[in-house]
Amino acid sequence: GETARILVMTPIDGTALGFDTLNHRYVLNSGQSLTAGATHRLTVNLPNRPEFVASVDVPSDFVVTPLPASISRNSLLHLSWSAAAGATQGYSVLVSNASGGVSYASTASQTSLDVSGFGVVGKAYVTIAAEGSTSDRHLEVRREYMFEIDVTP
């Protein structure tokens, strides 16, 4: 059978990435950053395997139209943002509450989306992400912004 292997991924600056055991993926460590709109080269080393090198474009910065500070639970929230160069896989939108429950999740190829049905009254977190990947989709990157809004009855 297949055995577990230790996978080491390093960005172009040679600093090892941390592993997120909850989500089973490699992530930047605190203080690390990738330049938006730039191409980064990552290297994957596995025991007894040839080195694998991939380049990926990090989606550029994008601007989100300001969100309201609060919204009624049954209201429609219109989200819009500017295009991000390098968002080859489009955009994802996630709305979650303070306890981590997800009330809305969607992907979009366009730069706007309407969200309804917030469910829980209280704090809500709206995350909008530009999704990029290598042409073979083996390596994915995202540039995301999170906003907090109050959901009222």
Side-chain angles (χ1 to χ4, degrees):
E2 186 70 20
T3 58
R5 297 188 199 109
I6 297 173
L7 179 67
V8 178
M9 295 179 64
T10 56
I12 198 165
D13 63 8
T15 304
L17 295 173
F19 187 69
D20 177 354
T21 55
L22 180 64
N23 295 302
H24 305 284
R25 61 182 171 189
Y26 286 87
V27 296
L28 294 174
N29 295 304
S30 177
Q32 283 182 298
S33 65
L34 297 177
T35 304
T39 300
H40 292 272
R41 188 178 126 188
L42 282 80
T43 305
V44 179
N45 295 296
L46 293 170
N48 304 316
R49 302 276 186 170
E51 181 177 83
F52 171 77
V53 178
S55 293
V56 63
D57 295 328
V58 176
S60 66
D61 287 330
F62 58 100
V63 177
V64 177
T65 302
L67 276 62
S70 65
I71 190 169
S72 169
R73 177 174 57 179
N74 297 320
S75 293
L76 183 70
L77 175 63
H78 179 73
L79 301 172
S80 63
W81 54 91
S82 64
T88 56
Q89 301 302 313
Y91 304 90
S92 63
V93 174
L94 178 75
V95 178
S96 58
N97 58 42
S99 63
V102 174
S103 60
Y104 183 87
S106 183
T107 58
S109 57
Q110 71 277 6
T111 57
S112 66
L113 197 63
D114 291 324
V115 177
S116 63
F118 283 88
V120 178
V121 172
K123 297 283 183 207
Y125 303 94
V126 177
T127 303
I128 302 171
E131 308 278 350
S133 72
T134 54
S135 59
D136 60 11
R137 298 195 67 189
H138 286 143
L139 187 60
E140 297 179 351
V141 293
R142 61 189 287 145
R143 178 116 184 126
E144 67 180 38
Y145 296 97
M146 183 187 302
F147 304 90
E148 180 181 299
I149 60 174
D150 289 314
V151 179
T152 60

